[in-house]
Amino acid sequence: MRALNRKLLRDLMRLRGVVMAIALVLMGGVSTFIMSLSTYDSLVLTQAKYYRDYRFAQVFASLKRAPNSLARRLLDIPGIEKVETRVVAAVNLDIPGFDDPASGQLVSVPDRGKSRFNDLYVRRGRTVDPSRDDEVVISESFANAHQFRPGDTLSATINGRRKALTIVGIVLSPEYIYEIQPGSVFPDYKRYGILWMARAPLAAAYDLEGAFNDVALSLAAGANLDDVLDRLDELLRPYGGRGAYGRHDQLSHKFLAEEFGQLETMATVFPVIFLGVAAFLLNVVIGRLINTEREQIAILKAFGYGNAEIGWHYTKLALLIVAVGLAGGVAVGILLGKGMSAVYQDFYRFPFLEYELKPAVVINAALVAVAAGMAGTLFSVARAVRLPPAEGMRPETPPEYRATLVERIGLQRWFAQPTRMIMRHIERRPLRALLTVIGIASACGVVMVSNFQEDAINYMINVQYGMSSREDLAVNFVEPTSARALHSLRGLTGVTHVEGFRNVPVRLHFEHRSFRTALQGVEPDGDLYRVLDKDQKRIKLPAAGVVMTDYLAKILGMKPGDWVTVEVLEHSEPVLRAAGVARPRTFQFADVLAASQPALRIPLVAVTKQYLGVSAYLQRDALNRLLQEGDVINGAFIATDSRHQSEVYTRLKEMPRVSGTVVREAAIAQFNQTMEQMILFFTMVSAVLGAVIAFGVVYNSARIALSERGRELASLRVLGFTVGEIAYILLGELALLTLMALPLGFMLGRALCAYLVSQFESDLYRIPLIIESDAYSFATMVILVSAVVSGFLVWRRLRQLDLIAVLKTRE
Amino acid sequence: MSTTEANGVVFQARGLTKVYDMGQVQVHALRGVDLDLYSGELLVLLGASGSGKSTLLNILGGLDTATAGHVLYRDRELTTASDSELTEYRRHHVGFVFQFYNLIPSLTARENVAAVTEITRDAMAPEQALAMVGLGERVDHFPAQLSGGEQQRVAIARAIAKRPSVLLCDEPTGALDSTTGVVVLEVLERVNRELGTTTALITHNADIAAMADRVVRLADGRIVDVQRNIKKKPARELRW
C-alpha cells in the first residue's frame, strides 16, 4: 500500500470520533431519504399491483333501479370495456355485545364465477355460498374492530326486516381500502363495516330481482372519461341515476390518493431537508477538518506532490467518511423503510406489500452525499494549496482580532477576558459562526415539524366538533323524507334537541371548473350545526344564496357575488329533478340539456372557514324550494342526554328509515387512535434525526474548534487556567451560538410547517398552522440535550490536553 | 577559482526582492540579493532572525516566489515558473530539511521516506536512505516514538532519498541540543561529500559556519558579507 494511503487510514483511525459524528449526520440524512422514498414507492407500487390484480373498477355509478338488460346497453357506450352490475344497500347492524348504533353497506357478489371488478382477497375463511341467503363475508377492519371470526354471527336490518347473518370469511377489497361512512369524515371501523353477500337473496330483499342499483365499469384504452360519464348519466337518468364518477371521485380511492399525495410531500420535503442539512454539515465539517491539515498539505507540496494529488488524497478521506455514512444510512433506511411500509400496510389494509427501493433513490442519495463531501474537501484543499508551501508550514499568522461591537460601545468592563475572547472569536469569523447557527437552527426546525401535526389536528377537531358541528349523533334516512319524521325523533326518550337537514349530491360548475360535492340545507338558526367564518364567528345563512367552504370557493375560483351553476345528482322523479349541466367539452349534451332544462344558478354569498371536507350550505327551506320539493329532509342532527344514550341507540336501530347513524365522539376517538400510531412513529423518527443533526453540528464544531485552538487553550492551562475556565472559552462560544440558533430554528420550523400545511391542502382537509408552546419547548429540549451531550464529550478531551507539548514545540 | 565553482553554477539569483504585504504594513524580507550557488558546494547562510535567510532559501526551493528579480536553477527560470512547474521542480530536484522536521505523524520513519520516494524517479530505497543517516534500526517507528535528533535524521533521509541535486536546510539544528545537532550536521556533511549534493544550510549559529565551503551573511534583507573557508572544519569538531 502506498505510504499516503496508509496515512489516510491512520488519519481516519485517529479522527474516528469526528468521522463517526460526521458519518452519523450523513446517516441520518440518507436513512430518512431512503426510508421516506422507499416507503412511498412501495405503497404506490403495492396500490397499483393491488388495483391491477384485484381488478379495481374505473367507473362507478349508482341508481335507483334498472333491469339487468340495461347492462347490454351500457356496453354499447363507446369507451366502455366491461360492465358488472351489482346490488348495493345500506343496512343497520346489530352486533352482539355492542350497543352503539352500527351500520354498513351490503354489496352483492356474483351468483356465478368471480367478480369482474373489485375482487375480494380472502384473508380468513371462505367466500359466500351463492345458494345461501344468510352468509356474509366482512371487511377486515370491521372484523378486527369487533374481533369477529368466521363462524360468528350478527344481525342486520335489511329493508326493514331483521335477519341473522353468519360470517364465513374476512376479506379485503380494493374498493374499500378506506371504509368511510357517507357523511362522515373519519373511518370508524367499530360502527361502520362493509359486508358482501350472495346477489340473489340480497336482490330479493330489496325487490331488485332481475335488476341492479349499482354498476362498476372499466374503460377501453384511450377512452375519454368525461364523455363516458356523460353518456352513462344520460342512460341512467331515467333509472334514478345518481351521477357516474371515475376513480378520482371514488371515496376510498380519493382518500388514498390524498394520503399518498401527502406522503409524497413528506417523502420529498423531509428527506431533502435532512439530506440537505447533512450535506451542508458534511461540507462544513470536512472543510474545517482539511483546514487543520494545512501544515501537512504544505509538507506534501514541499516534497513535490501536485495539487491534484493532494486534492485526490483528501477527497479519498472525505469519500471514506461519506461511504461509512452512506452504507449505514442505506442499511438503516431500508430497515426503517420496511418498518414504515409495514405500518402503512397495516393502516391501509393492503393484502400484501411490495417493498421497493429504486436504485435511483440510492444513487441520488449517494450523489448528494459525495458531491457535498467533495465540494467541502476540494474547496478547503484549494484554499490550502493556494498558499506557497513556505507559508503553509508556518503557523498561521495570529489572526486579526479587534474589539467587538459590544466593547466598542463601551460595555467591555462588564466582561472578563474569557468572555471577550468568545465574543471576539465569533465576530472574527462571522460566516463560520453563522453556518454553525444555521446548522443548529435546521435541527431545531426539523424537530419542530415532528410535533406540530398533533397540535394542528387537535385544533382542527376542536373547531370542527367543538364549535361548528356540535351534535351528538347524526342520522341519515334511507330516502328523502317528510320533515314530520323529526317529530318521532324528538319523541324519543333522551333526545334533547333535533334539527333536520337536507343533503343532495351535486356537481357545481363555475366557468370551466367543476366539483362534485353535496349541497347541505341546514336550519339557519340551528344550534347543532353552525357555519363559521375565519374568526370562528357564526355566519348567518342567507335566505337566498349559498355559503361555501373557503377551499371549495378556491377550487372553483369563485368569490362572493359570483353565481354557481348546480347540477343535481340525486335520482329523482321530475318533482325533484332540477338541472343537468354538462361538463366542459361535451357540447352536444350541453346543448340538448340547456334546451330542455334550465340551469339552476345560485349566488355565492359568503365563504366559511372549514378544516374538514368541502361543502356548500344554504337554508334547508331554500334547498327544498330549489329542488321543487316540499318540506323534506334526509337526515337529522340530534343532541342527547348522555344518561339515556343507549336507549336512543336502541330505538334508532328499530327505525327502518334510518340508514346510518354517526356517533361524533366515537368517530373522533377512533380517528385519534389511528392517527396516534402514525404520528408517534413519525415524531419519534424526526425527533431522533433532529437530535442527531443537532449533536452532529455541536459536537463537530466543538471538536474542530478544539483541534484549531488546542494550542491556545493548552497555553492558557499552562498559565494557570483551570479546565473549567478553558472549557468556558470553547464551549461558551458554542452555547452562545446554540442559544442564538434557537429563535432562528423556531422561525425555520414555522416556515417548514407552513410549507407542509400548504402542501397538505386538499378537499378532504386543510391542516391549520397551529404550533403550540409544547412544540417549541420540545424542540428546545432536544437541541439543548444534544448540545450538552456533545459539550460533555469535548470537556473530557479538554481535560487531557497535553501541556508539555505546547511548551516544547514551536509557535 | 575553486573546484566547486568549476563544476558550474546551480543557482543564479539576481536582484531578488521579496515584500510581504501584512495588511497595514509591508515587510521587506529581501532587498535585491545577488547570489550564485555552485554544484557540490556546502553553503551556510548566516544571519539573525528576520534577516531574510529563510525567505531566500524558500525562493530557491520553489516554496515561495519573489516579488522582483530572477532566480535561475541551471537554465530554468524559477521566478516565472507556474505552480505545476514548481511542483515538478521540488519533486525531482530539491530536498528540504526543516527546523521542526515536519514529519507526517501518522506515518512511520520508513513510510515518511516512502511518501517521497514513491513520487520520484530513480530514488533510493527508504531503508537505504535511513541507513545513511544511521537509523537503519528504527525504520518502523512513528515520529512520536523518536527523539528530536532522530526525527531530524528521518527528515534528512526523506530529503536525500530522491537523490536531489540541491538540499536546502532551514535551521536543521535549531531545535536540537549541541550534541544531537552535531550528529545531524555530520549526516549533512556526509551526504554533501558522498552524493555531491549542493547543500545550502541556514543557521543563526556562527559556529556552524566553520564546516561550510562558503559563508554568506545576511542582514536586513541584504547580503553583507561572503567569506570562503580555506580550511573546512569537520562537523564532529564543532561545539557551541
Side-chain angles (χ1 to χ4, degrees):
Chain A
M1 195 191 290
R2 293 185 47 124
L4 275 199
N5 289 337
R6 256 171 236 248
K7 165 182 179 311
L8 199 71
L9 290 180
R10 294 199 187 122
D11 283 349
L12 273 176
M13 280 310 293
R14 178 171 56 88
L15 296 167
R16 58 189 177 275
V18 175
V19 168
M20 285 320 293
I22 301 174
L24 202 65
V25 171
L26 184 61
M27 223 171 99
V30 170
S31 60
T32 322
F33 192 77
I34 302 264
M35 174 191 79
S36 311
L37 289 176
S38 72
T39 300
Y40 177 70
D41 289 339
S42 304
L43 288 176
V44 168
L45 183 76
T46 303
Q47 182 202 28
K49 192 164 167 5
Y50 189 22
Y51 277 9
R52 191 180 63 238
D53 293 359
Y54 289 83
R55 299 184 298 282
F56 182 46
Q58 287 168 297
V59 178
F60 306 81
S62 62
L63 50 142
K64 192 156 185 169
R65 184 181 205 279
N68 283 340
S69 56
L70 188 71
R72 234 176 260 289
R73 284 176 57 203
L74 294 179
L75 270 176
D76 292 341
I77 295 177
I80 284 184
E81 189 193 44
K82 285 185 194 157
V83 175
E84 181 164 72
T85 62
R86 306 188 292 184
V87 173
V88 175
V91 285
N92 276 321
L93 301 173
D94 207 353
I95 297 157
F98 186 71
D99 288 338
D100 288 13
S103 57
Q105 183 137 307
L106 263 175
V107 182
S108 67
V109 292
D111 291 335
R112 280 179 303 275
K114 276 185 108 87
S115 300
R116 286 203 185 92
F117 300 117
N118 311 324
D119 204 4
L120 301 178
Y121 171 90
V122 180
R123 182 81 94 186
R124 292 161 77 187
R126 59 173 172 85
T127 186
V128 292
D129 179 344
S131 66
R132 301 288 300 259
D133 68 349
D134 60 349
E135 285 187 2
V136 287
V137 293
I138 62 172
S139 60
E140 190 182 49
S141 321
F142 183 53
N144 285 356
H146 292 284
Q147 280 141 20
F148 279 133
R149 262 171 265 244
D152 288 350
T153 55
L154 75 166
S155 51
T157 310
I158 298 175
N159 208 12
R161 279 189 302 274
R162 209 173 141 101
K163 182 159 182 62
L165 299 169
T166 305
I167 298 164
V168 297
I170 288 161
V171 299
L172 300 171
S173 161
E175 193 182 0
Y176 297 100
I177 293 173
Y178 249 105
E179 291 168 42
I180 295 185
Q181 186 170 9
S184 178
V185 191
F186 311 123
D188 181 352
Y189 302 126
K190 262 193 146 61
R191 290 164 193 82
Y192 185 74
I194 311 293
L195 301 84
W196 288 262
M197 72 184 284
R199 176 156 176 176
L202 185 60
Y206 285 92
D207 303 322
L208 285 166
E209 283 142 318
F212 64 95
N213 69 354
D214 195 275
V215 60
L217 313 99
S218 64
L219 294 172
N224 180 327
L225 178 66
D226 283 337
D227 285 351
V228 169
L229 294 182
D230 279 332
R231 285 171 188 258
L232 263 178
D233 282 351
E234 178 68 4
L235 203 59
L236 296 177
R237 183 165 293 128
Y239 303 96
R242 289 188 181 92
Y245 51 93
R247 277 184 182 176
H248 65 273
D249 280 323
Q250 201 265 345
L251 205 59
S252 165
H253 177 82
K254 188 169 172 167
F255 265 84
L256 209 58
E258 291 297 345
E259 294 251 342
F260 279 22
Q262 291 189 7
L263 262 181
E264 191 180 9
T265 306
M266 294 301 262
T268 39
V269 175
F270 262 92
V272 165
I273 293 171
F274 266 106
L275 200 56
V277 170
F280 163 77
L281 278 178
L282 188 69
N283 184 305
V284 170
V285 172
I286 286 194
R288 292 181 69 173
L289 189 67
I290 304 293
N291 271 354
T292 64
E293 293 275 305
R294 171 190 142 106
E295 202 176 306
Q296 299 211 12
I297 291 174
I299 299 171
L300 292 177
K301 265 197 95 175
F303 286 102
Y305 277 89
N307 293 348
E309 287 163 306
I310 295 171
W312 174 231
H313 174 68
Y314 284 101
T315 302
K316 280 191 282 189
L317 179 78
L319 289 183
L320 278 170
I321 299 177
V322 167
V324 173
L326 208 55
V330 171
V332 173
I334 290 176
L335 213 68
L336 287 175
K338 285 192 171 159
M340 190 91 161
S341 302
V343 169
Y344 277 113
Q345 183 198 354
D346 198 44
F347 187 72
Y348 294 127
R349 305 215 175 273
F350 285 137
F352 50 82
L353 182 79
E354 296 278 316
Y355 182 75
E356 185 184 46
L357 177 57
K358 290 185 180 159
V361 172
V362 179
I363 291 169
N364 282 339
L367 283 181
V368 171
V370 167
M374 280 184 61
T377 310
L378 294 179
F379 182 72
S380 297
V381 170
R383 207 169 42 197
V385 296
R386 211 177 302 138
L387 287 177
E391 209 165 309
M393 263 179 295
R394 270 197 295 272
E396 276 189 84
T397 43
E400 271 183 61
Y401 284 94
R402 57 181 189 152
T404 58
L405 181 67
V406 181
E407 295 168 273
R408 289 196 295 277
I409 59 177
L411 299 175
Q412 76 276 12
R413 61 205 159 97
W414 301 103
F415 301 111
Q417 290 308 327
T419 307
R420 291 188 207 181
M421 282 174 74
I422 290 176
M423 292 191 304
R424 290 180 193 173
H425 199 74
I426 292 175
E427 215 185 81
R428 188 177 69 87
R429 304 292 295 266
L431 187 67
R432 175 179 290 181
L434 185 71
L435 290 181
T436 306
V437 167
I438 291 175
I440 300 172
S442 333
C444 178
V446 165
V447 178
M448 264 179 70
V449 175
S450 72
N451 234 25
F452 120 89
Q453 285 199 347
E454 207 179 339
D455 291 339
I457 287 168
N458 284 340
Y459 178 85
M460 210 158 93
I461 289 176
N462 184 34
V463 171
Q464 182 79 12
Y465 291 107
M467 301 175 173
S468 172
S469 171
R470 315 191 307 163
E471 79 283 1
D472 295 314
L473 300 171
V475 296
N476 292 304
F477 295 124
V478 181
E479 275 184 319
T481 306
S482 159
R484 282 191 300 274
L486 293 175
H487 294 306
S488 51
L489 288 175
R490 284 195 188 103
L492 297 177
T493 318
V495 169
T496 55
H497 189 70
V498 177
E499 283 168 20
F501 63 79
R502 173 73 169 109
N503 281 355
V504 61
V506 292
R507 201 175 274 127
L508 300 177
H509 300 265
F510 182 69
E511 293 173 347
H512 60 282
R513 293 171 286 269
S514 71
F515 190 81
R516 195 188 154 102
T517 178
L519 270 188
Q520 310 221 7
V522 296
E523 298 301 338
D525 305 312
D527 233 10
L528 299 181
Y529 200 91
R530 307 190 302 185
V531 178
L532 306 174
D533 68 9
K534 64 182 190 331
D535 301 317
Q536 280 116 46
K537 290 219 180 61
R538 181 176 193 152
I539 297 175
K540 189 151 173 57
L541 284 177
V546 66
V547 173
M548 271 184 199
T549 307
D550 50 352
Y551 193 70
L552 178 58
K554 194 170 138 189
I555 293 173
L556 291 173
M558 294 182 70
K559 53 186 189 307
D562 291 337
W563 287 67
V564 63
T565 305
V566 179
E567 177 190 357
V568 177
L569 298 173
E570 192 172 74
H571 66 82
S572 51
E573 283 70 51
V575 194
L576 295 178
R577 182 75 248 145
V581 176
R583 282 171 293 281
R585 280 175 287 133
T586 53
F587 302 107
Q588 69 276 39
F589 284 109
D591 297 341
V592 173
L593 291 171
S596 63
Q597 290 164 324
L600 222 147
R601 299 177 79 235
I602 329 174
L604 171 63
V605 178
V607 293
T608 161
K609 180 82 202 163
Q610 276 191 322
Y611 299 114
L612 295 167
V614 292
S615 281
Y617 300 90
L618 63 178
Q619 291 193 11
R620 182 167 67 82
D621 298 355
L623 182 58
N624 287 154
R625 276 198 308 279
L626 216 63
L627 296 173
Q628 300 171 35
E629 60 189 10
D631 190 9
V632 166
I633 57 170
N634 57 354
F637 299 116
I638 302 176
T640 58
D641 180 338
S642 55
R643 284 168 300 179
H644 299 286
Q645 204 139 7
S646 61
E647 289 167 64
V648 174
Y649 292 164
T650 315
R651 296 300 305 278
L652 283 175
K653 280 183 197 176
E654 290 163 358
M655 299 180 126
R657 298 182 71 84
V658 172
S659 72
T661 309
V662 179
V663 182
R664 188 192 68 168
E665 233 165 280
I668 298 171
Q670 176 75 33
F671 174 78
N672 276 338
Q673 200 188 324
T674 35
M675 284 311 282
E676 232 158 55
Q677 56 171 339
M678 305 289 297
I679 290 181
L680 205 67
F681 188 79
F682 182 74
T683 306
M684 200 184 73
V685 170
S686 350
V688 167
L689 291 169
V692 164
I693 291 184
F695 173 79
V697 178
V698 178
Y699 181 72
N700 285 315
S701 299
R703 268 304 301 274
I704 291 167
L706 180 61
S707 62
E708 286 164 350
R709 303 178 68 190
R711 179 178 298 276
E712 177 186 339
L713 297 173
S715 307
L716 288 173
R717 289 274 288 128
V718 171
L719 295 179
F721 277 69
T722 62
V723 173
E725 283 161 341
I726 59 165
Y728 172 72
I729 294 171
L730 188 74
L731 299 179
E733 180 183 332
L734 282 166
L736 190 61
L737 293 181
T738 304
L739 292 180
M740 282 161 65
L742 285 176
L744 187 69
F746 295 156
M747 273 154 56
L748 207 68
R750 211 183 151 77
L752 263 177
C753 293
Y755 176 74
L756 285 180
V757 161
S758 73
Q759 289 296 303
F760 282 1
E761 242 180 26
S762 77
D763 50 308
L764 294 178
Y765 54 87
R766 277 80 52 198
I767 299 176
L769 182 57
I770 300 294
I771 303 172
E772 302 283 357
S773 57
D774 62 337
Y776 291 103
S777 43
F778 180 69
T780 306
M781 193 191 74
V782 170
I783 300 300
L784 291 185
V785 167
S786 314
V788 167
V789 169
S790 40
F792 174 72
L793 292 176
V794 171
W795 188 72
R796 279 197 351 197
R797 292 192 154 260
L798 280 175
R799 280 177 30 189
Q800 296 156 7
L801 272 184
D802 186 353
L803 306 189
I804 311 301
V806 181
L807 301 177
K808 270 167 86 175
T809 47
R810 65 178 171 154
E811 199 175 44
Chain B
M1 199 184 242
S2 77
T3 47
T4 49
E5 279 173 49
N7 290 345
V9 176
V10 179
F11 284 111
Q12 190 178 61
R14 291 295 176 267
L16 218 50
T17 301
K18 178 72 182 179
V19 181
Y20 289 109
D21 205 349
M22 311 289 272
Q24 284 103 343
V25 284
Q26 288 199 325
V27 177
H28 288 260
L30 293 177
R31 302 165 188 268
V33 168
D34 299 334
L35 180 68
D36 289 338
L37 229 78
Y38 304 104
S39 186
E41 161 177 59
L42 198 159
L43 183 85
V44 165
L45 286 164
L46 211 56
S49 174
S51 59
K53 52 191 193 309
S54 286
T55 306
L56 176 59
L57 198 76
N58 288 340
I59 293 173
L60 294 181
L63 292 181
D64 210 343
T65 48
T67 314
H70 297 280
V71 190
L72 278 182
Y73 165 71
R74 301 199 192 277
D75 41 14
R76 194 192 291 233
E77 177 64 78
L78 291 186
T79 24
T80 57
S82 69
D83 188 59
S84 59
E85 286 166 337
L86 285 179
T87 300
E88 195 274 338
Y89 162 65
R90 292 194 301 266
R91 177 184 290 216
H92 298 297
H93 302 275
V94 192
F96 288 105
V97 177
F98 304 105
Q99 181 179 0
F100 294 104
Y101 338 128
N102 292 63
L103 298 177
I104 293 169
S106 53
L107 296 182
T108 63
R110 188 211 311 265
E111 289 160 354
N112 259 287
V113 179
V116 172
T117 57
E118 279 167 1
I119 58 165
T120 54
R121 28 175 201 258
D122 190 31
M124 293 179 205
E127 295 78 8
Q128 188 192 347
L130 285 163
M132 269 195 86
V133 299
L135 282 177
E137 304 299 308
R138 316 213 64 180
V139 291
D140 288 325
H141 286 67
F142 282 95
Q145 299 165 324
L146 299 170
S147 72
E150 287 170 329
Q151 287 186 55
Q152 192 59 298
R153 282 187 282 156
V154 174
I156 294 171
R158 181 174 63 175
I160 61 168
K162 66 166 83 158
R163 304 182 204 277
S165 39
V166 290
L167 186 60
L168 303 176
C169 314
D170 190 350
E171 298 270 16
T173 59
L176 302 173
D177 62 76
S178 78
T179 326
T180 319
V182 167
V183 175
V184 167
L185 291 176
E186 280 182 302
V187 171
L188 288 175
E189 185 181 55
R190 188 167 148 223
V191 168
N192 176 252
R193 190 176 60 237
E194 292 179 8
L195 301 180
T197 314
T198 309
T199 305
L201 192 156
I202 283 182
T203 182
H204 60 269
N205 184 343
D207 298 312
I208 293 174
M211 68 180 281
D213 292 312
R214 270 197 305 157
V215 181
V216 174
R217 281 173 203 277
L218 278 104
D220 204 16
R222 292 193 182 85
I223 293 180
V224 290
D225 179 40
V226 180
Q227 190 188 326
R228 183 174 299 284
N229 283 336
I230 307 301
K231 188 168 184 316
K232 290 203 286 185
K233 207 175 188 182
R236 79 186 121 79
E237 290 172 19
L238 298 176
R239 287 292 177 275
W240 62 87

